[in-house]
Amino acid sequence: MVPEPPVVVQQDAVPPLLEYLNGFGSPRLALVADHNTYDALGRRVEAALAAQGMDITRILLEGDEIVPDEATCMQVFLANRDDQRIFLAVGSGVITDVVRFTSHRSRNPFVSVPTAPSVDAYTATGSSLVVNRLKQTIPGQGPIAVFADLETLCAAPQPMIAAGFGDVVAKYTSLADWKLSHLLLDAPYSAPIAQRMQVARDRCMEDADRVAAAQPAAIHSLIVALVEAGLCMLQFGGSQPAGQSEHYISHYLEMKLVQEGRPAVLHGAKTGMATVIVARYHDQIRRMTRDDAAQRLKASRLPDRQLEIERIRAVYGPSAEGIVAEQAAFLAWTENDYERLKQRILDRWAEVQEVSAGVPSPEALARLLERAGGTADRRALGLGDDEVATAERYSHYVRNRFTVMKLSRILGLLP
C-alpha cells in the first residue's frame, strides 16, 4: 500500500501546521498562493511561521485569473530560484495542481493547505494542467501532509463550496464507469477502494442541505470526501475512482474556454452538471431490454479509423494531435476486437444494467446539486447549449478509457 499523508481537518489548523513543520528542525519554506488565497489564509499562515523565525519565500501568482498552464508553472520556478524548500500550497485546485507539479520537478516536498472545499485534487499525485492548450494529467506528487482550516473552508465563496459538492456527486458516474471498464474490458479495478470512495460520497450526500448553509459539520464531511477521493486515486495509482466521463466533459469545456479566452467555470460546477448528463445514458441503459440491446449491437459497426481522426481534428482543433495519440488503442480496434466486445456486452447485459442501476436518476442528481447551492443548468454556468452538446458527443476522446459514453456510442445512444 502507498503510504498516506497525515490529514488534519479542524477549526484552526494553523497551530498543528506549525507543530508539523517544526518537526523538520529549521525548514526553509516557499508559500505559494494567489492574491485571493493569500488574503483568505496565506497571510495568517505566513505571520505564524514568521513569528517562529522560519525562513519563508512568498510566491504570489499574478493575474486576474490563474490558469494552471506552462506560464504559471514558470512563475513558480523563477520565483523559487532552484532553492530547496518545503512548498506550502495555500489555495484550492489551481494552486495545488501547479505546486504538485513544480515541487515535484524541483525535487521539493509540499504541504497542502486548502482554502476552499472545491476540488478532489488535494491528495492526488497527478496535476491537471493545460499544456499546449490541451488539458492533461501530468505526473507530479502527492502532499506530505494536508492541513485543512475549517474556519477558512466555511468562509469560502459559496460557488466554490457548491463546486466541491459537484465534484463529490461526480463519484456516482466515475465509480460506475470504472466498474464498466472492468466488467467489459478487464481493466484494473479495486473493490475495496471503490467501497471507500462510495462511503465518503454517501456521507457527504446526507449533508447536502447543510453544505448550502456552510455549516461546519457539513463542510467537514465535504472536505473529507474530497480528500478521500484523492487518497483513493493515490492508492489505486490512477484517477479512475474519482474522474471519468463527467470529468472528460468538464475537461473538454475547460480547454474550449481557455482556447477562446473566455472566463473559467469552476471545475466542480462543470463536473456536477456533466454528471447529470452522463446519468441520462445510465438511465437509458437501465431501461433497455436485452432484446433491444441485442438489436442495437447487431446494427453497430466498427468506427472507421480515418473518420474518427477527422472528427477529432474538427472538434479539438489545436489540441487534436494530442487527442489522436491518446486514442491510439481505440483507433487500432479491429473488426474481431469489436465483435468480441459486442458479444461480451450482450453476455453481461444484466451486470451492465446493475452498474447503471447504481447511478441515481438525472433528476435526483440535479436536485442534490440544487440542495447544496449548485446547479445542473448549463446556461446558469455561462455555457451554451451547442458547446455542451458537442462536449457530450465528443469528450469521450479526452482519455483512452472505456466509459458509459463509449458504451452508449456502441449501442447507438450517442451519435
Side-chain angles (χ1 to χ4, degrees):
M1 294 288 285
V2 179
E4 295 187 1
V7 176
V8 175
V9 182
Q10 64 181 58
Q11 190 65 21
D12 183 0
V14 176
L17 170 63
L18 295 180
E19 182 181 355
Y20 177 79
L21 292 173
N22 275 320
F24 291 90
S26 300
R28 303 173 72 229
L29 308 169
L31 189 154
V32 183
D34 62 24
H35 289 281
N36 291 328
T37 63
Y38 184 74
D39 289 342
L41 182 58
R43 182 178 285 107
R44 177 154 62 99
V45 169
E46 184 179 23
L49 297 172
Q52 296 201 1
M54 294 190 186
D55 180 346
I56 313 158
T57 292
R58 181 201 310 160
I59 302 175
L60 282 185
L61 301 180
E62 299 294 336
D64 295 332
E65 182 179 320
I66 309 299
V67 177
D69 60 6
E70 303 99 316
T72 302
C73 291
M74 187 56 67
Q75 283 189 53
V76 177
F77 285 131
L78 293 175
N80 190 51
R81 301 176 183 174
D82 294 326
D83 284 351
Q84 294 302 297
R85 295 178 177 270
I86 298 174
F87 280 55
L88 303 181
V90 183
S92 55
V94 170
I95 299 293
T96 305
D97 277 326
V98 168
V99 172
R100 186 192 330 281
F101 174 77
T102 54
S103 66
H104 180 256
R105 293 303 192 273
S106 58
R107 295 180 172 82
N108 290 300
F110 91 95
V111 174
S112 175
V113 188
T115 56
S118 55
V119 294
D120 64 6
Y122 292 119
T123 48
T125 57
S127 289
S128 188
L129 302 177
V130 179
V131 180
N132 194 25
R133 294 176 291 187
L134 174 63
K135 190 68 178 288
Q136 302 180 48
T137 300
I138 306 296
Q141 64 183 358
I144 57 174
V146 179
F147 291 88
D149 184 78
L150 202 54
E151 179 182 346
T152 301
L153 300 182
C154 290
Q158 194 279 330
M160 297 190 77
I161 294 174
F165 188 84
D167 217 358
V168 178
V169 168
K171 290 9 172 191
Y172 283 109
T173 49
S174 64
L175 288 174
D177 273 345
W178 191 21
K179 187 63 180 290
L180 277 178
S181 67
H182 175 66
L183 179 67
L184 298 176
L185 287 182
D186 295 320
Y189 180 78
S190 169
I193 292 176
Q195 177 66 19
R196 179 180 179 179
M197 186 68 263
Q198 182 178 327
V199 168
R201 178 201 69 198
D202 291 349
R203 285 176 181 164
C204 182
M205 294 301 103
E206 293 172 1
D207 279 330
D209 298 310
R210 291 178 288 278
V211 165
Q215 293 183 10
I219 299 302
H220 187 282
S221 295
L222 174 56
I223 191 65
V224 165
L226 292 167
V227 168
E228 279 288 282
L231 293 175
C232 287
M233 290 187 275
L234 176 67
Q235 288 301 329
F236 183 68
S239 62
Q240 288 89 330
Q244 302 257 11
S245 294
E246 71 297 321
H247 275 66
Y248 308 155
I249 291 175
S250 177
H251 290 338
Y252 171 84
L253 291 168
E254 185 166 349
M255 287 189 286
K256 189 172 190 295
L257 293 173
V258 169
Q259 289 170 8
E260 295 177 359
R262 293 161 57 191
V265 177
L266 288 168
H267 164 77
K270 297 194 303 292
T271 301
M273 174 208 70
T275 301
V276 176
I277 292 172
V278 175
R280 295 195 191 108
Y281 291 90
H282 282 289
D283 191 53
Q284 292 180 74
I285 289 169
R286 179 171 53 239
R287 298 169 185 272
M288 189 182 299
T289 67
R290 187 179 185 280
D291 287 344
D292 189 10
Q295 290 302 313
R296 288 174 173 273
L297 290 168
K298 184 178 180 181
S300 183
R301 297 288 178 266
L302 175 68
D304 178 82
R305 182 180 186 278
Q306 191 56 43
L307 180 57
E308 294 297 296
I309 292 174
E310 290 172 7
R311 283 181 172 179
I312 290 170
R313 287 174 175 159
V315 171
Y316 284 89
S319 306
E321 296 314 309
I323 298 293
V324 170
E326 176 71 23
Q327 291 295 321
F330 164 68
L331 294 170
W333 279 3
T334 66
E335 289 285 356
N336 286 339
D337 294 332
Y338 198 63
E339 291 304 315
R340 280 195 298 270
L341 176 58
K342 291 197 298 180
Q343 187 59 50
R344 190 162 192 178
I345 293 169
L346 190 58
D347 290 344
R348 301 193 172 183
W349 186 247
E351 294 165 272
V352 168
Q353 288 190 301
E354 184 179 351
V355 171
S356 288
V359 177
S361 71
E363 295 78 15
L365 292 174
R367 286 194 296 271
L368 273 173
L369 292 173
E370 290 165 3
R371 285 171 54 197
T375 182
D377 184 347
R378 63 200 66 182
R379 295 180 185 177
L381 298 177
L383 299 167
D385 291 344
D386 288 345
E387 63 189 350
V388 172
T390 301
E392 180 177 344
R393 184 174 182 181
Y394 296 112
S395 62
H396 67 89
Y397 292 119
V398 169
R399 294 286 183 271
N400 180 34
R401 291 183 186 163
F402 189 85
T403 66
V404 73
M405 303 307 273
K406 273 194 164 61
L407 173 60
S408 295
R409 186 166 177 203
I410 293 169
L411 290 168
L413 302 175
L414 186 69

